[in-house]
Amino acid sequence: MNHFLRILFVLLLARPLVRLWFGVTVRHQERLPLKGPAIVLANHNSHLDILALYSLFPLTLISNVQPAAAADYFLKNRLFAWFATEVVGIIPVIRGGITAGSDPLSGCKEALSQGRILILFPEGTRGEPEMLSEIKLGIWYLYRDFPEIPVVPVYLNGLGRAMGKGQWFPIPFFVDIAIGRPLPWLSEKTLFRTSIKDALLHLKQKTILSTPGQQ
Amino acid sequence: MINLLLPPALITALEGVFALLITASITLLFLEKRYPQKNWLELKLRIRTWWWIVACFSLTLLGNMPIALVVLGLVSFLALKEYLTLCSTRTADHVVLFWAYLCIPLQYYWLGIHWYGMFIIFIPVYVFLFVPMRMVLIGETQGFLKAAASLQWGLMICVFCLSHMGAVLALPLLTGIGKAEQGPMLLFYLVALTQLNDVAQYLWGKSLGKHKVSPKVSPNKTLEGFLGGAFTTCLLGWLLGPLLTPFSPLHAALAGLLIGVMGFIGDIVISAVKRDIGVKDSGRLLPGHGGILDRLDSLTYTAPLFFHYTHYLYY
């Protein structure tokens, strides 16, 4: 990963787009982990999600933050793969679970043992805007190996509308981001999965403007 | 480039605004000292945001038309973004929304080139015909009418109505009558009276309010607040008229009354929109005030009506 290109990317593209074109409100910015190793878990509706998450971190720390992303999608052609790995700084993950002889999460584990902050989209793919898809179990396996690190849920509201799956131009909408408290480790897979979903849905409520009925 | 030699009347008026803000800030400091146990955060945020609003608004009064139109265009952009964030849009209409945003620079461009005819029909005729046509091309008929109508209504209030602030600013240039420097003074008169009307209606309602005007839409609006506010604004309009406008005393008082009544209507109409969507505030852009539409609601009605009133009588 090229640190200089990464900082330029965040400074010239991610931040202006997220802060000026959209305009974000962040709830509980102080809960965002600034020191690794840590995992940031976010819902996923748009390619802009990663830009929005990058724009939350100070520029000086940005090269310590890396997102896990689907290898089959981002390594499709050489130019795109160069951009995704060198500039955006993704850690490629092969989707579809463990196959013989290779651990799809090895890149993520390496990043965490190097003290990086890992961004994970536990739904695995961009779903319908503002609908939470099923949580994949990769995060459970990762957390099992690093039980002492904080896993912080983040909900992003509005980016799926701005540029969802299949759309290639970002339309301005106000974006609301809510950051939650670190999730406790649960050894029971389904319970852990449910706790992630509950945490994200709880944060989703906070990103929606209060209605008269809810006051 | 920027004409920093503002007309003396405008300087006096701006000094008045800064005096008001400084008084408010000092009063707040005093209140915090005196009653430290009470929570003053809301008021503090509100006053701080007022400073920002006044600073941005002052940019439109410097006498440089391109800068002023860009600032006002950004206001429309933020308002439309807030409106579209709130109201439900169809995923299929992604491209149509792009065209909707593109209307903003065009609408202000017509003012920049002093093309009044296009400015006045561009949105209510051409854009209103274009939006459904573009939606038909997409071919999604489910929710067609609702989607088309809510987008048109958003463009109406956030772009067409609010761009009349720019039209007031450019009024002498659009018609070729009077001096260009009258524009900033008329805009100041409109905006100051509209905002003071909001404050006056709030204060009258708070102190004397009994009879609710429209409890279902906006439970805090009372007949006493409305009448007291409209009367106060009428008086202020009459007082400020000779300083900032070419109006005769009668016309200045009527302009104040018009702003008082229309400000109330704008406020309550936007309240109904928010209530229909199910939100209390339209956004979080202006801490202490809510969203930008919460602050500009009354201007959506006062700006076009004040523009036509002035256009008809003097320009």
Side-chain angles (χ1 to χ4, degrees):
Chain A
M1 178 174 62
N2 189 321
H3 290 196
F4 176 68
L5 286 179
R6 158 69 85 80
I7 287 172
L8 275 188
F9 171 71
V10 174
L11 189 69
L12 299 179
L13 186 74
R15 285 196 177 186
L17 194 70
V18 172
R19 294 192 185 171
L20 302 176
W21 192 241
F22 298 116
V24 286
T25 317
V26 188
R27 319 211 111 196
H28 298 297
Q29 170 83 48
E30 77 283 352
R31 290 179 183 168
L32 191 76
L34 295 179
K35 269 172 70 180
I39 298 176
V40 170
L41 279 186
N43 63 316
H44 198 21
N45 285 146
S46 166
H47 284 321
L48 302 168
D49 291 340
I50 196 63
L51 304 192
L53 289 165
Y54 277 175
S55 74
L56 297 178
F57 288 92
L59 268 186
T60 46
L61 302 178
I62 201 72
S63 45
N64 201 34
V65 184
Q66 279 193 289
D72 54 288
Y73 186 91
F74 284 96
L75 305 183
K76 262 187 303 202
N77 72 58
R78 278 180 63 190
L79 186 71
F80 200 44
W82 173 82
F83 182 75
T85 51
E86 291 300 308
V87 183
V88 184
I90 66 158
I91 298 171
V93 174
I94 296 156
R95 286 194 278 203
I98 299 164
T99 49
S102 74
D103 178 3
L105 295 170
S106 62
C108 297
K109 287 175 183 165
E110 196 188 319
L112 285 175
S113 46
Q114 285 170 2
R116 292 180 187 275
I117 297 169
L118 184 68
I119 294 176
L120 268 189
F121 298 113
E123 297 161 275
T125 183
R126 296 169 293 160
E128 289 293 306
E130 310 321 326
M131 299 288 285
L132 213 53
S133 320
E134 204 195 337
I135 305 293
K136 300 273 194 294
L137 277 173
I139 172 65
W140 184 85
Y141 289 107
L142 206 54
Y143 204 177
R144 189 184 55 178
D145 288 0
F146 296 85
E148 73 289 352
I149 68 170
V151 172
V152 177
V154 174
Y155 193 86
L156 310 158
N157 192 351
L159 290 163
R161 283 174 88 191
M163 196 177 98
K165 222 171 183 168
Q167 295 168 338
W168 290 98
F169 186 81
I171 297 289
F173 284 106
F174 279 103
V175 174
D176 270 331
I177 300 177
I179 302 173
R181 293 198 180 83
L183 292 168
W185 161 248
L186 293 170
S187 56
E188 170 57 43
K189 281 182 198 168
T190 32
L191 277 181
F192 187 59
R193 199 184 232 171
T194 322
S195 80
I196 294 176
K197 191 156 191 169
D198 288 349
L200 288 174
L201 288 175
H202 174 71
L203 291 172
K204 180 182 180 178
Q205 286 307 312
K206 289 192 174 183
T207 62
I208 296 169
L209 285 166
S210 58
T211 58
Q214 287 175 336
Q215 285 248 310
Chain B
M1 198 175 77
I2 297 175
N3 175 20
L4 281 175
L5 296 168
L6 299 178
L10 196 55
I11 293 179
T12 315
L14 276 174
E15 280 170 356
V17 171
F18 281 104
L20 266 179
L21 280 180
I22 291 167
T23 315
S25 294
I26 291 174
T27 312
L28 179 70
L29 280 179
F30 171 77
L31 285 171
E32 277 181 323
K33 269 257 153 58
R34 185 75 197 273
Y35 307 100
Q37 71 281 12
K38 271 187 95 172
N39 184 8
W40 297 104
L41 182 69
E42 177 82 14
L43 193 62
K44 202 172 180 170
L45 288 174
R46 192 169 258 256
I47 292 173
R48 188 187 298 163
T49 304
W50 268 123
W51 278 101
W52 278 106
I53 296 172
V54 167
C56 291
F57 180 57
S58 300
L59 280 176
T60 64
L61 303 174
L62 296 178
N64 181 295
M65 195 52 78
I67 291 181
L69 292 180
V70 167
V71 172
L72 293 172
L74 281 173
V75 169
S76 279
F77 171 71
L78 293 171
L80 184 63
K81 184 160 61 163
E82 196 167 87
Y83 174 85
L84 290 177
T85 303
L86 283 180
C87 86
S88 54
T89 52
R90 304 183 303 175
T91 324
D93 294 333
H94 197 71
V95 188
V96 187
L97 296 182
F98 167 76
W99 289 109
Y101 278 106
L102 200 65
C103 292
I104 298 170
L106 284 170
Q107 175 73 355
Y108 285 88
Y109 176 69
W110 311 137
L111 285 177
I113 60 169
H114 312 155
W115 189 2
Y116 174 71
M118 192 55 165
F119 164 80
I120 210 73
I121 65 165
F122 175 62
I123 285 176
V125 179
Y126 293 128
V127 177
F128 272 34
L129 292 174
F130 176 81
V131 164
M133 187 273 282
R134 191 64 191 79
M135 283 181 173
V136 162
L137 289 184
I138 292 162
E140 175 63 82
T141 50
Q142 187 77 40
F144 174 80
L145 189 58
K146 187 168 176 275
S150 33
L151 187 54
Q152 286 170 327
W153 172 237
L155 286 166
M156 194 69 190
I157 54 171
C158 304
V159 188
F160 183 74
C161 290
L162 290 180
S163 70
H164 278 77
M165 286 198 279
V168 169
L169 189 70
L171 187 49
L173 299 169
L174 289 174
T175 55
I177 301 167
K179 285 192 207 142
E181 63 183 37
Q182 269 293 333
M185 291 202 269
L186 284 169
L187 179 62
F188 181 90
Y189 183 80
L190 163 71
V191 173
L193 284 188
T194 306
Q195 299 304 332
L196 287 171
N197 178 57
D198 282 357
V199 176
Q201 299 214 349
Y202 172 79
L203 292 177
W204 280 102
K206 207 74 177 158
S207 49
L208 289 179
K210 276 205 185 71
H211 303 87
K212 296 194 186 310
V213 182
S214 171
K216 258 185 92 179
V217 180
S218 193
N220 294 326
K221 295 272 178 303
T222 59
L223 193 63
E224 292 80 0
F226 168 55
L227 292 176
F231 175 74
T232 310
T233 310
C234 179
L235 193 71
L236 278 167
W238 178 71
L239 281 171
L240 289 173
L243 183 72
L244 293 165
T245 68
F247 296 161
S248 72
L250 175 67
H251 286 157
L254 283 176
L257 187 65
L258 180 82
I259 289 173
V261 175
M262 289 305 148
F264 176 82
I265 296 174
D267 193 340
I268 207 160
V269 167
I270 302 295
S271 291
V273 173
K274 286 186 285 187
R275 194 141 292 238
D276 183 25
I277 292 167
V279 294
K280 190 175 156 287
D281 290 334
S282 65
R284 299 190 181 118
L285 188 69
L286 306 175
H289 296 250
I292 194 163
L293 274 174
D294 292 314
R295 187 67 277 138
L296 294 177
D297 47 8
S298 30
L299 265 168
T300 58
Y301 268 67
T302 60
L305 287 151
F306 177 78
F307 171 81
H308 290 292
Y309 178 81
T310 315
H311 188 20
Y312 178 72
L313 287 175
Y314 289 91
Y315 290 91

XYZ file of all heavy atoms in Angstrom, chain B residues 24 45 66 70 81 92 116 127 154 159-160 175 183 197 226 268 282 288 294 302-303:
150
model
N -27.135 39.625 22.552
C -27.594 38.268 22.859
C -26.476 37.452 23.497
O -26.689 36.766 24.501
C -28.085 37.583 21.585
N -26.069 27.228 21.485
C -25.915 26.741 20.111
C -26.672 27.640 19.149
O -26.209 27.968 18.064
C -26.455 25.316 19.992
C -25.631 24.207 20.642
C -26.378 22.888 20.571
C -24.280 24.084 19.951
N -21.890 37.765 -8.593
C -21.538 36.333 -8.664
C -21.364 35.686 -7.286
O -21.891 34.594 -7.044
C -20.215 36.330 -9.442
C -20.251 37.574 -10.254
C -20.990 38.581 -9.431
N -23.723 32.659 -5.804
C -23.149 31.368 -5.400
C -23.568 31.036 -3.963
O -23.985 29.913 -3.665
C -21.606 31.372 -5.549
C -20.996 30.175 -4.837
C -21.221 31.335 -7.024
N -31.172 19.326 -0.592
C -30.576 18.096 -0.083
C -31.306 17.652 1.181
O -31.604 16.479 1.350
C -29.089 18.349 0.202
C -28.341 17.117 0.634
C -26.847 17.241 0.441
C -26.227 18.371 1.228
N -24.758 18.232 1.350
N -35.379 4.054 -8.425
C -35.384 4.178 -9.884
C -35.107 5.617 -10.329
O -34.618 5.848 -11.432
C -36.725 3.714 -10.430
N -35.050 37.767 -16.740
C -36.183 37.630 -15.832
C -37.210 36.621 -16.342
O -37.717 35.782 -15.596
C -36.853 38.996 -15.614
C -38.116 38.898 -14.803
C -38.050 38.609 -13.441
C -39.377 39.064 -15.387
C -39.195 38.493 -12.686
C -40.526 38.942 -14.637
C -40.436 38.657 -13.293
O -41.576 38.538 -12.550
N -39.245 22.792 -15.886
C -38.801 21.689 -15.023
C -39.990 20.816 -14.614
O -39.894 19.593 -14.578
C -38.040 22.223 -13.791
C -37.654 21.087 -12.866
C -36.787 22.973 -14.230
N -40.521 19.982 -3.890
C -39.205 20.277 -3.320
C -38.481 21.335 -4.135
O -37.901 22.274 -3.587
N -35.814 25.659 -4.447
C -35.095 26.337 -5.517
C -35.866 27.564 -6.004
O -35.381 28.682 -5.925
C -34.782 25.378 -6.688
C -33.875 26.065 -7.696
C -34.128 24.104 -6.180
N -37.094 27.360 -6.479
C -37.836 28.493 -7.046
C -38.094 29.580 -5.997
O -37.716 30.731 -6.184
C -39.152 28.005 -7.646
C -39.947 29.098 -8.315
C -39.547 29.602 -9.540
C -41.081 29.630 -7.725
C -40.262 30.612 -10.166
C -41.803 30.638 -8.336
C -41.387 31.133 -9.553
N -34.700 44.765 -14.077
C -35.650 45.667 -14.720
C -34.974 46.878 -15.339
O -35.590 47.600 -16.117
C -36.680 46.173 -13.693
O -35.962 46.775 -12.606
C -37.526 45.038 -13.166
N -30.504 46.812 -4.460
C -30.766 45.379 -4.327
C -30.391 44.818 -2.965
O -31.242 44.247 -2.273
N -39.777 38.671 12.345
C -41.179 38.254 12.454
C -41.281 36.900 13.169
O -42.138 36.721 14.035
C -41.789 38.174 11.056
C -43.221 37.694 11.084
O -44.071 38.299 11.742
N -43.501 36.596 10.390
N -49.571 35.146 16.243
C -49.678 35.549 14.846
C -49.994 37.039 14.726
O -49.290 37.781 14.033
C -50.744 34.693 14.160
C -51.152 35.193 12.812
C -50.208 35.404 11.815
C -52.492 35.462 12.533
C -50.579 35.872 10.567
C -52.866 35.938 11.293
C -51.909 36.148 10.307
N -45.995 27.541 8.748
C -46.971 26.504 9.054
C -47.074 25.479 7.910
O -47.311 24.287 8.146
C -48.329 27.175 9.414
C -49.133 26.287 10.337
C -49.108 27.574 8.215
C -50.180 27.066 11.075
N -36.253 19.409 10.406
C -35.953 18.943 9.051
C -34.526 18.445 8.923
O -34.162 17.866 7.921
C -36.226 20.068 8.054
O -35.348 21.137 8.281
N -29.080 24.016 17.263
C -29.950 24.928 18.010
C -31.183 25.328 17.216
O -32.183 25.760 17.787
N -35.823 24.499 8.552
C -36.482 25.016 9.757
C -36.250 26.510 9.886
O -37.091 27.246 10.406
C -35.935 24.313 11.002
C -36.334 22.854 11.048
O -37.514 22.568 10.808
O -35.466 22.010 11.301
N -42.307 34.429 2.020
C -42.133 35.887 1.982
C -41.304 36.331 0.775
O -41.604 37.366 0.188
C -41.463 36.422 3.266
O -40.179 35.813 3.413
C -42.292 36.138 4.493
N -40.270 35.540 0.383
C -39.371 36.000 -0.683
C -40.106 36.232 -2.008
O -40.029 37.331 -2.561
C -38.201 35.038 -0.853
